Every structure is written in structure tokens, then in C-alpha cells.
């Protein structure tokens, strides 16, 4: 699986050496130059990248194929999914943030929408960029609209610091209800079914976030788990995944398909 950092080989990246505040400043710069990939240093000492998958040219360069062949390339991945190995060790496992369990810190700002298709997620352990599937009760939180964590974290840990003190999660507009993870991939497992998909997550308390789940595969998995008396589903929030995973998670495919196999 090609490393996410290969973005530096296929396009120009504007690097902001001075720290940029995730509250409004990051989104303002991304909106001002939508055709430029940007890398931000942040007060949390974790770097943030935005405007990454901004056009077909970037995606085609990443996979080293002509732009005219991109659609056929993606269709072949759907039609011919490949098995993958689940690794117990990897570089991602070296970057660990321990976050106080939400059981000790219940959300003080539950979902405001009143929508029943919501779920509150809590972070027990946060890991950095991930390029292997994960189905543990962990959350890989970090950022944004086509923004990804490119941290070089090494054995950072905390047992009480709020999520936004440790991770640069942007607030995009003054009217937003809070910081949002907007390009985080939710990886979930229910029995033999694995699903990866995008869901916006609003940070609603120092140790928890609220996710809206529409009636697609993840909702179906949650419903089936609930029918068997389970109120929780093992999930991970993946930030900064390789392009193959980012694209596979955005595809609308049959429920029987494992998007990780498409990415492989």
C-alpha cells in the first residue's frame, strides 16, 4: 500500500512554518486557495494537511496511471477485490495517545439535532496515521475536510487532556457547533462484515464526539448488533490513510463487499 506521504512527490505542497490555529484559520487558508495542497504546523505540535484529494490529476499521479484511465482503474478495483492481511504490528502502533475513557467524562453537550441516527464515540486510545485495518475500540482522531494528520508523533501519551488539546481538529466556520473531524474514515466490524465510510464527527465534550449515521451500511451493522442486544460496535476513526483507502471508503458498493479489499 503506497504511503500517504507520497503526496510530496506528485504535487506542490505549501508549508506554513508558523503555527496555524485550527479554529477558523486553517479553513480560511484552505478556502482561499482550493487548488493548493497545504501543510500546517499547529499549536498541538501535530501537523495538518488539507486540499489533498482535490482533483483527478492528483489521484491519477498517485496511482501512476493516465487520468483518462482513472474510472476504469477504480471499476476494476470494485470488480476484482483482493484479500488483505491484518497486521498486529506496524509503525502506526508506535504513535499512541491515551485519552481518558468517556465513562469517566460523559459528554456535556449531547447531540443537538435530536436525530435518532446518531452515536456518541469516545476515544480510549488514539493512534496516528494508519494503513492497516483496525477493529478495536479506539479512535484515530485528528482533522478535517480533505485534511489529514501527518504527525511524526512518537510515544505521546496523556490520561486527562481534552482531545482538542492534543489533536488539531479544525472549527471551519464561526457558526459551527464545535470542531469537526470531516475526512475521518469510520472503520467498523460486525461479525464477518467490515465497513469503512465517511461520517462527520463533531467534538461535543473534551473526551467524546457525536457522529450522524445515515441509513447505509454502518447503520445496518448497528441495527443488526442492536437486534442481538448490543449497544456498542467496535470502531476506529482512521486519519491520514493511503489514497486507496480514502477512495474505497467513498465508494457506494454492495453491502457484501469489504472496502479494504477494494483498496487492496
Amino acid at each position: 500500500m503506497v504511503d500517504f506521504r507520497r503526496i510530496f512527490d506528485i504535487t506542490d505542497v505549501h508549508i506554513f512554518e508558523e503555527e496555524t490555529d485550527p479554529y477558523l484559520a486553517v479553513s480560511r487558508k484552505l478556502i482561499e486557495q482550493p487548488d493548493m495542497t497545504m501543510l500546517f504546523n499547529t499549536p498541538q505540535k501535530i501537523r495538518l494537511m488539507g486540499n489533498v484529494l482535490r482533483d483527478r490529476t492528483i489521484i491519477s499521479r498517485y496511482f501512476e496511471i493516465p487520468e483518462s484511465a482513472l474510472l476504469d482503474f477504480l471499476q476494476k478495483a470494485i470488480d476484482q477485490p483482493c484479500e488483505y492481511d491484518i497486521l498486529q504490528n506496524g509503525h502506526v502502533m508506535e504513535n499512541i495517545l491515551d485519552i481518558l475513557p468517556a465513562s469517566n467524562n460523559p459528554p456535556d453537550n449531547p447531540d443537538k439535532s435530536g436525530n435518532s441516527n446518531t452515536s456518541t464515540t469516545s476515544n480510549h486510545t488514539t493512534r496516528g496515521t494508519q494503513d492497516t485495518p483496525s477493529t478495536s475500540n479506539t479512535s484515530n482522531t485528528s482533522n478535517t475536510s480533505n485534511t489529514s494528520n501527518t504527525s511524526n508523533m512518537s510515544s505521546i501519551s496523556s490520561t486527562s487532556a481534552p482531545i482538542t488539546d492534543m489533536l488539531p481538529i479544525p472549527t471551519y466556520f464561526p457558526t459551527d457547533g464545535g470542531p469537526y473531524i470531516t475526512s475521518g474514515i469510520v472503520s467498523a466490524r460486525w461479525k464477518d462484515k467490515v465497513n469503512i465510510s465517511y461520517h462527520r464527527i463533531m467534538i461535543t465534550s473534551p473526551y467524546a464526539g457525536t457522529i450522524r449515521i445515515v441509513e447505509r451500511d454502518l447503520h445496518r451493522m448497528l441495527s443488526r448488533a442492536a437486534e442481538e442486544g448490543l449497544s456498542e460496535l467496535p470502531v476506529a476513526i482512521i486519519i491520514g490513510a493511503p489514497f486507496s483507502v480514502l477512495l474505497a471508503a467513498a465508494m457506494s458498493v454492495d453491502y457484501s463487499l469489504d472496502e479494504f479489499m477494494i483498496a487492496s
Side-chain angles (χ1 to χ4, degrees), residues 194-260:
V194 175
N195 172 257
I196 57 175
S197 50
Y198 289 96
H199 303 271
R200 290 206 321 165
I201 302 171
M202 186 176 76
I203 304 304
T204 53
S205 84
Y207 306 98
T210 296
I211 175 174
R212 183 174 185 272
I213 304 172
V214 298
E215 294 187 7
R216 285 192 50 77
D217 292 357
L218 182 57
H219 183 276
R220 186 173 177 181
M221 295 167 72
L222 282 166
S223 299
R224 291 188 173 183
E227 290 172 358
E228 299 195 16
L230 299 179
S231 59
E232 296 182 350
L233 196 69
V235 301
I237 310 302
I238 305 172
I239 303 293
F243 279 22
S244 55
V245 175
L246 295 175
L247 289 172
M251 295 180 179
S252 296
V253 295
D254 188 80
Y255 180 80
S256 63
L257 289 178
D258 179 341
E259 289 87 356
F260 278 123

Side-chain angles (χ1 to χ4, degrees), residues 4-206:
F4 181 88
R5 292 171 181 83
R6 203 164 90 73
I7 187 70
F8 291 97
D9 299 327
I10 60 178
T11 189
D12 293 332
V13 178
H14 186 110
I15 300 175
F16 293 89
E17 298 293 347
E18 294 187 1
E19 291 181 354
T20 304
D21 192 342
Y23 180 78
L24 303 181
V26 167
S27 60
R28 182 170 58 249
K29 293 181 183 298
L30 293 174
I31 292 171
E32 288 172 351
Q33 292 183 282
D35 296 327
M36 173 64 70
T37 299
M38 301 180 185
L39 181 66
F40 302 94
N41 287 298
T42 69
Q44 292 83 354
K45 309 305 179 185
I46 295 177
R47 293 184 297 173
L48 203 63
M49 182 172 281
N51 290 346
V52 181
L53 290 174
R54 64 179 192 269
D55 56 40
R56 294 186 180 188
T57 300
I58 298 298
I59 298 171
S60 301
R61 287 177 183 171
Y62 184 86
F63 291 112
E64 299 180 342
I65 58 174
E67 188 173 340
S68 60
L70 180 59
L71 292 180
D72 288 339
F73 176 81
L74 297 177
Q75 187 61 54
K76 182 178 179 181
I78 296 172
D79 295 339
Q80 301 178 25
C82 299
E83 295 289 342
Y84 55 85
D85 296 324
I86 298 180
L87 305 180
Q88 301 304 317
N89 297 291
H91 292 304
V92 65
M93 306 301 291
E94 299 171 2
N95 303 329
I96 297 176
L97 293 176
D98 293 325
I99 299 175
L100 193 66
S103 57
N104 294 334
N105 292 272
D108 51 24
N109 182 19
D111 175 47
K112 299 177 182 178
S113 68
N115 194 310
S116 60
N117 292 340
T118 61
S119 174
T120 299
T121 64
S122 61
N123 303 340
H124 292 218
T125 301
T126 301
R127 295 190 169 91
T129 54
Q130 176 162 336
D131 42 24
T132 54
S134 171
T135 55
S136 61
N137 272 329
T138 65
S139 290
N140 295 10
T141 49
S142 157
N143 54 62
T144 128
S145 92
N146 269 351
T147 66
S148 297
N149 180 339
T150 58
S151 162
N152 55 357
M153 296 185 298
S154 59
S155 300
I156 304 172
S157 65
S158 171
T159 57
S160 60
I163 298 170
T164 51
D165 283 358
M166 293 186 292
L167 300 170
I169 306 173
T171 298
Y172 293 93
F173 301 100
T175 55
D176 284 349
Y180 273 96
I181 301 170
T182 56
S183 67
I185 297 173
V186 178
S187 171
R189 178 183 293 273
W190 169 242
K191 296 185 176 179
D192 294 331
K193 169 61 180 173
V194 175
N195 172 257
I196 57 175
S197 50
Y198 289 96
H199 303 271
R200 290 206 321 165
I201 302 171
M202 186 176 76
I203 304 304
T204 53
S205 84

